[in-house]
Amino acid sequence: MDFAIRESKYCCDGPMAVIRLGSCCSISDVKASEIVINDEGSFGVYSNFDTIRAGKGGEYYLITDTIQPDADLTKSLIENINKGLSNIWKVHTGLNGSTDAYYHSQGKVDHKFNDHNEDLIDSIKTKYPHVKTLEMESYYLFGAAKQSVDKNVYAAAAFIVDTNVIQKDYQINKAKYGEI
């Protein structure tokens, strides 16, 4: 994401608006196939491989503070998605976390790997009780936008939920591949 924003800025001298439209997993009451617009910012979840490899305890995952999306661009995104899609899909707004990996740092427990992530969702929800989703890009998008020297990179994000990790709801995959 950092690469995309920085390289794009070299092609654009003026203001630049970037909206990430993508997928995410839910760690809240938001169900698979529903939409979430990130209006409360995003925080990072980083794997601490030094601790994970050693398996000696300590902080396996580092959870950062939040970075906010651009308020005006996000407001416009909310208005337009609600106008165009709320009669088809349920639309939510809320806080998001961006992780450095799809499985382990999103709390998806895989007993074939020593990820030490069995309590990760609880740790995330302890720091951010109202978090709705996890994905891998928004924190980095918002961070790159905030680092623009000209302060004219504006960023926002919206996602469709493909998995609810808490409810073990894999609707998108069920429709595509059958029961998992």
Side-chain angles (χ1 to χ4, degrees):
M1 185 55 68
D2 182 68
F3 178 85
I5 300 306
R6 290 172 188 265
E7 295 291 320
S8 296
K9 190 59 185 156
Y10 275 94
C11 299
C12 178
D13 289 330
M16 193 169 84
V18 182
I19 298 175
R20 177 189 184 265
L21 302 173
S23 62
C24 68
C25 72
S26 170
I27 58 169
S28 65
D29 61 343
V30 178
K31 295 181 173 87
S33 301
E34 296 179 349
I35 294 173
V36 179
I37 304 166
N38 181 335
D39 69 336
E40 294 182 30
S42 188
F43 57 88
V45 179
Y46 294 99
S47 308
N48 183 354
F49 285 114
D50 291 340
T51 303
I52 291 171
R53 268 191 338 232
K56 297 178 182 173
E59 295 297 320
Y60 293 118
Y61 297 90
L62 309 173
I63 303 169
T64 72
D65 292 334
T66 61
I67 300 176
Q68 300 304 309
D70 179 76
D72 293 332
L73 188 59
T74 300
K75 180 180 175 189
S76 180
L77 183 62
I78 291 168
E79 289 170 0
N80 284 286
I81 285 180
N82 278 322
K83 192 184 320 178
L85 298 176
S86 64
N87 62 333
I88 302 168
W89 284 294
K90 187 167 184 181
V91 178
H92 305 265
T93 58
L95 179 64
N96 170 72
S98 291
T99 65
D100 63 352
Y102 181 77
Y103 287 103
H104 69 271
S105 57
Q106 290 187 12
K108 297 169 183 168
V109 177
D110 183 342
H111 297 290
K112 293 185 179 192
F113 291 86
N114 293 317
D115 297 325
H116 303 281
N117 65 350
E118 293 81 2
D119 299 322
L120 180 57
I121 300 295
D122 291 337
S123 296
I124 291 169
K125 288 182 147 288
T126 296
K127 185 165 183 174
Y128 296 110
H130 302 295
V131 62
K132 300 251 189 229
T133 59
L134 296 175
E135 46 76 69
M136 297 177 65
E137 291 85 16
S138 297
Y139 180 76
Y140 309 101
L141 167 61
F142 301 161
K146 299 290 186 199
Q147 286 178 254
S148 167
V149 172
D150 297 334
K151 302 294 182 207
N152 65 357
V153 177
Y154 308 99
F159 328 106
I160 187 163
V161 175
D162 65 6
T163 303
N164 185 304
V165 176
I166 305 300
Q167 299 170 354
K168 307 282 192 260
D169 181 9
Y170 302 92
Q171 268 327 110
I172 302 296
N173 289 335
K174 281 183 195 172
K176 192 171 183 180
Y177 303 110
E179 196 67 38
I180 295 175

